[in-house]
Amino acid sequence: MTRLFAILAALLLASCAREVPPGVTELTYATPYPPSHPFSRADQRWMDFVAQESGGRLVIKPQWSGKLLSADMSMTELRHGVADIGLITPIYVRGGTHLIRVQSGFYSGADSVESQLAVFACLQERVPQISTELAGLEVLAVQGGLLPGILTRNRRVQSLDDLRGLRIRAPTELLPVLASLGADPVNMPMGEVYSALAKGVIDGVVAPPDTFRALHFAEVARYFYELRVPRGAYPARAMGSRRWNTLEPWQRELLTRSRAVWEAALADEIRQSEAAGREVGKGRITITPASAEDQARFDAIYLRDGEANARSLERFGIDGLSVFRLARASIPARDQVSCGGIS
């Protein structure tokens, strides 16, 4: 009920906003992140591109720090017009995005952001279920990311065996992987992790080095086990289809063309944030590389559980196994992607 009142209040304020000049279309963009976050810096670069390319006739008005959209209902809220454009996280939605959530665990070997995006493009082109799960939305950007490691509060991890008994925050696709290694994995919004680490509610988190600075984890953790934890791509910025259909053709063309700009900006800001995070971590976080044997063991468990998760989609009437095989066939070698010849 509180969330409903907040949304209604935001809509009321929007209705009282300043008048938009004639000939200008203004679209709202909502994100849970503050303007200083790397994602938001990429968002701003995209907004500047749209404004410049349109000659100021199409402008984006940002709503930072979760003012409009909620973390777990953003897709539904966009479909209903709470904001025009927004950051979405279908990999954390509880229902309705079963395949998109599970497919993020099929990416072993796609180390770079560009490779991750290419694999998702392969899947989206060939798997109609992905479009079904995105019904009512127009995707404006797909997002990949840095390969995470395991950041721990006060216990140094030097091998996979050291994970036993640790309570670790992890994304959905990694919960069974960590459990099979003897850890106690939990899922929670990333925004709650800092507090949970500080209070000792969790012992660690699966996270990339950029979080040392971007989420201030260097203040509450001491050790980083540099295991290459695979991660996938997913649709991350979208617009409600109903609002999309009210735009003029040239506006839709511009937003379609801007997708490459937004995705490149996200990749660039993510990489810059890694360097900044590592710099902040110097002298504060002890980094331990994973051995080749541990990395191979982890990769094998990751793929085994990814295949099991794919099979589990049968209960929803989704042929997840064929999607798993498609993803694996699209990565013929480490960080190389090829969709050719895949049936």
Side-chain angles (χ1 to χ4, degrees):
M1 185 61 71
T2 301
R3 181 68 195 174
L4 176 60
F5 284 136
I7 291 172
L8 291 174
L11 291 174
L12 180 61
L13 287 173
S15 68
C16 299
R18 72 193 189 287
E19 186 175 346
V20 178
V24 175
T25 298
E26 184 177 87
L27 302 175
T28 56
Y29 170 67
T31 172
Y33 294 101
S36 59
H37 193 277
F39 292 170
S40 300
R41 292 199 296 268
D43 297 341
Q44 187 61 63
R45 288 167 62 173
W46 167 75
M47 294 177 209
D48 293 342
F49 173 84
V50 170
Q52 181 177 352
E53 288 292 300
S54 69
R57 293 181 296 156
L58 182 61
V59 297
I60 314 297
K61 181 180 179 182
Q63 297 288 336
W64 309 110
S65 304
K67 291 180 180 178
L68 281 183
L69 298 184
S70 58
D72 57 343
M73 294 294 291
S74 58
M75 295 175 69
T76 298
E77 290 165 351
L78 281 176
R79 290 180 177 116
H80 289 281
V82 174
D84 296 320
I85 302 169
L87 185 147
I88 61 172
T89 50
I91 57 174
Y92 297 124
V93 173
R94 294 183 184 277
T97 57
H98 304 296
L99 178 58
I100 293 175
R101 185 172 65 250
V102 168
Q103 64 83 37
S104 64
F106 301 168
Y107 285 67
S108 180
D111 294 347
S112 68
V113 173
E114 288 76 14
S115 293
Q116 294 157 14
L117 266 59
V119 173
F120 185 84
C122 292
L123 301 184
Q124 188 172 27
E125 181 182 347
R126 291 165 171 78
V127 182
Q129 177 65 24
I130 292 177
S131 296
T132 298
E133 295 184 354
L134 293 168
L137 297 172
E138 296 294 326
V139 174
L140 298 184
V142 174
Q143 182 173 312
L146 303 172
L147 297 190
I150 300 177
L151 184 66
T152 50
R153 182 171 174 261
N154 54 19
R155 180 168 159 186
R156 185 176 183 180
V157 175
Q158 300 184 80
S159 73
L160 292 180
D161 293 335
D162 293 337
L163 296 175
R164 186 169 300 277
L166 293 183
R167 189 169 178 81
I168 298 173
R169 186 273 179 194
T172 303
E173 72 272 12
L174 289 179
L175 299 182
V177 178
L178 291 173
S180 68
L181 291 168
D184 178 19
V186 297
N187 200 342
M188 66 174 64
M190 193 59 98
E192 298 176 10
V193 171
Y194 180 97
S195 176
L197 282 170
K199 296 175 181 177
V201 174
I202 58 175
D203 300 303
V205 56
V206 176
D210 67 303
T211 60
F212 299 172
R213 178 178 183 271
L215 296 179
H216 307 286
F217 286 170
E219 299 173 0
V220 290
R222 297 174 56 197
Y223 301 105
F224 186 66
Y225 182 48
E226 201 156 24
L227 185 72
R228 284 200 312 265
V229 179
R231 62 152 297 159
Y234 59 91
R237 308 292 189 278
M239 184 175 192
S241 295
R242 285 192 293 183
R243 184 66 175 102
W244 172 267
N245 291 331
T246 68
L247 298 179
E248 297 179 34
W250 72 265
Q251 294 170 331
R252 292 195 293 268
E253 184 278 330
L254 172 55
L255 291 179
T256 300
R257 181 160 46 88
S258 74
R259 173 170 170 166
V261 173
W262 207 344
E263 291 175 348
L266 283 164
D268 182 50
E269 291 291 345
I270 286 169
R271 277 190 280 265
Q272 289 187 46
S273 69
E274 177 182 24
R278 288 185 182 275
E279 185 63 29
V280 166
K282 285 183 178 178
R284 304 172 75 175
I285 293 180
T286 300
I287 297 177
T288 302
S291 67
E293 294 76 16
D294 273 355
Q295 185 67 60
R297 180 184 168 197
F298 184 87
D299 289 344
I301 296 172
Y302 172 89
L303 288 176
R304 181 200 69 191
D305 287 352
E307 183 173 357
N309 289 336
R311 291 181 186 276
S312 73
L313 293 176
E314 291 180 1
R315 68 184 187 275
F316 301 112
I318 300 171
D319 183 8
L321 187 57
S322 68
V323 182
F324 174 82
R325 290 169 176 164
L326 173 60
R328 300 312 308 151
S330 71
I331 310 173
R334 190 155 212 106
D335 222 22
Q336 296 181 21
V337 180
S338 174
C339 298
I342 302 174
S343 58

